Amino acid sequence: MTSTQNGDKTTYLDALIVGAGFSGLYMLHQLREAGFTTRVFEAADNVGGTWYWNRYPGARCDVESIYYNYTFSEELLDEWTWSSKYAEQPEILSYINYVADKFDLRKDIQFKTRVQTAVFDEKTNRWNVQLSNGESVSAQYFITAVGCLSASNVPKFKGLENFKGEWYHTGLWPHEGVDFKGKHVGVIGTGSSGIQAIPVIAQKAEHLTVFQRTPQYSIPAHNEANDPEYLKEVRENFSDIRRKMRQSLVGIPISPGEKSALEVTEAERNKTFEEAWKKGGLLAFSYAYNDLTLSPEANETVASFIREKIREIVKDPETAEKLLPDYFYATKRPIIDTNYFETYNRKNVSLIDVKKAPIEEITADGVKTTDKEYELDMIVFATGFDAMTGPLFKMDIRGRGGVSLKEKWENGAATRTYLGIGTAGFPNMFMLTGPESPSVLSNMMVSIEQHVEWVSDCINYMREQNKGIIEVDEPSEIVWSKQCREIADATLFTKTDSWYMGANIEEKARGFQIYLGGVGPYREICDEVAKKGYEGFTLKTTEEKLGI
């Protein structure tokens, strides 16, 4: 509904959703089916979220495609067939577009529109939202579906504006593609996107120079075409597969090994690791034993095995040594690759250790380190994202008393949520896969569906109970945040500087903002909260005062 007063146009909605990726689309579908007036606002000119923007060479999902899709519609599951074990970006984007068309979602999505400010009005108990096109929206519920990895991080290198060549960020890749033929290309960054892009760029560029700050543990993906018989079997058993996904630790129906890595002989351990290397994939190593992310000694067994594999693959010993990680395995984002380490055996590829010789500046002709200047025609920044809080801080979100989310969380230093879904002082605001939920350390599709369904059920409950305001109780978020920290501190994750900790953003405070208790246990906690009438939240009618 749109109202005009004194020449100002304001659109009134039950729910406003920010972002048209996987979570935003499903949230729209759920609320619209329940009869709520709902609209999605999306900065891009089409659906897709991270898979719209991340079109860099080699972009591919690192979760097996049979697990990386919606499960809420059996009809949709039967209609779509994934071509390979790990789907490429174009195929995933085609899937998202297919879903948007199948459920006629586009009619309630406004593209090329950013949410600039969202302010909770304590008089009306509604969110007043200002959009980039000058429009105003008033919504009872404000739902962020911005993803955890959508705020691209372009490092503030001195002199970048002087570079005469082309430069790109993997998270903001041109839709028309980039031609590397005959070019001297520099790639800065060797995280997941860099490791996917580097082998592809190396095949096309005249010369590729990789600027590496931190070497990575990477496991072969061993990607292959999906066997039609296997897909038929998956479809026939998907109800059981879905149940196991939802009850698992990371949203993939695989259980960790039952033994400690230190319980077995070195020969038995190496045999297990060798089988994991041949199998490939994210969990082959992480789940080989039950203590690899808990015990430094157990972790070293897998870390040393992978280092030996790197030494075997990379022919030049000096280059191989540069590629050896020296931190705990899997405490940075686990990575799978296709011929990443083999790429350093190519004559047209050079590896520069920028920890030893840091980048001083970008010059007109290339990249200058403390050692020398490298002449380049093109620079690719594979420098990742300002994760978790970054996408939320791109909007000016203000709750009670005009306090901004950035102020409340002290620019990320004091991030506190309840279940990763809400935060005190911000009534009727829901975060999908927000900080302190399983999010990026899970199969995002499982976590997205769980969050969307929980939020949808909550809003339906509010309507049934004639409640108009829901807000996190501050003691609840204090307890939840403490629990998240305690679980993380019992692992090796907090012992390593990583983007999980915010270490890739120079000015960002360090803090681990992911719930590590597992998606199955997390689901049980959220379900119990709902069963108890949304324990930990205060629910009121719009006529009542919360007294906060």
Side-chain angles (χ1 to χ4, degrees), residues 182-254:
K183 301 285 180 68
H184 284 71
V185 182
V187 173
I188 298 176
T190 54
S192 183
S193 58
I195 282 177
Q196 287 185 333
I198 284 165
V200 180
I201 296 172
Q203 292 171 16
K204 300 175 181 178
E206 179 73 19
H207 193 275
L208 172 62
T209 304
V210 177
F211 297 89
Q212 172 193 268
R213 181 177 64 175
T214 306
Q216 303 284 349
Y217 298 100
S218 188
I219 311 302
H222 296 311
N223 191 41
E224 59 189 4
N226 276 325
D227 182 347
E229 284 301 311
Y230 171 64
L231 293 177
K232 182 173 179 285
E233 184 181 329
V234 167
R235 283 195 176 102
E236 289 171 353
N237 296 284
F238 203 82
S239 292
D240 187 49
I241 291 171
R242 176 170 48 202
R243 178 183 58 79
K244 289 177 180 177
M245 287 165 65
R246 292 183 170 193
Q247 293 175 351
S248 68
L249 288 178
V250 295
I252 298 172
I254 302 171

Side-chain angles (χ1 to χ4, degrees), residues 22 83 98 120 140 143 149 173-174 177 185 211 238 240 246 286 294 316 331 364 370 410 436 442 481 490 499:
F22 275 118
S83 65
Y98 181 83
F120 184 73
Q140 183 176 3
I143 303 171
L149 300 170
W173 203 257
V185 182
F211 297 89
F238 203 82
D240 187 49
R246 292 183 170 193
S286 302
L294 300 173
D316 176 50
T331 55
T370 53
E410 296 176 21
E436 298 181 337
S442 69
S481 289
W499 63 255

Side-chain angles (χ1 to χ4, degrees), residues 224-370:
E224 59 189 4
N226 276 325
D227 182 347
E229 284 301 311
Y230 171 64
L231 293 177
K232 182 173 179 285
E233 184 181 329
V234 167
R235 283 195 176 102
E236 289 171 353
N237 296 284
F238 203 82
S239 292
D240 187 49
I241 291 171
R242 176 170 48 202
R243 178 183 58 79
K244 289 177 180 177
M245 287 165 65
R246 292 183 170 193
Q247 293 175 351
S248 68
L249 288 178
V250 295
I252 298 172
I254 302 171
S255 299
E258 296 179 357
K259 294 181 179 179
S260 161
L262 306 177
E263 282 182 40
V264 300
T265 65
E266 183 179 357
E268 183 180 340
R269 202 165 50 227
N270 285 339
K271 181 183 176 185
T272 299
F273 289 150
E274 190 63 47
E275 289 170 355
W277 186 267
K278 288 176 181 174
K279 182 180 179 182
L282 278 179
L283 300 182
F285 277 89
S286 302
Y287 273 21
Y289 295 100
N290 63 14
D291 57 352
L292 295 181
T293 58
L294 300 173
S295 160
E297 294 79 15
N299 191 282
E300 180 55 28
T301 65
V302 66
S304 60
F305 179 89
I306 297 173
R307 290 188 204 112
E308 283 307 309
K309 283 293 183 186
I310 296 169
R311 289 189 181 104
E312 286 175 18
I313 294 168
V314 180
K315 294 175 183 176
D316 176 50
E318 187 179 335
T319 302
E321 288 302 309
K322 290 179 186 177
L323 289 164
L324 302 182
D326 62 357
Y327 49 88
F328 294 121
Y329 166 72
T331 55
K332 288 181 181 284
R333 180 185 175 90
I335 296 173
I336 59 176
D337 72 85
T338 300
N339 298 323
Y340 174 65
F341 294 115
E342 290 85 348
T343 296
Y344 292 99
N345 294 327
R346 298 177 63 100
K347 292 180 180 178
N348 71 326
V349 176
S350 305
L351 178 65
I352 309 303
D353 181 354
V354 297
K355 242 181 191 171
K356 186 178 178 183
I359 295 173
E360 285 189 329
E361 65 177 311
I362 308 296
T363 67
D365 299 315
V367 173
K368 183 182 179 184
T369 70
T370 53

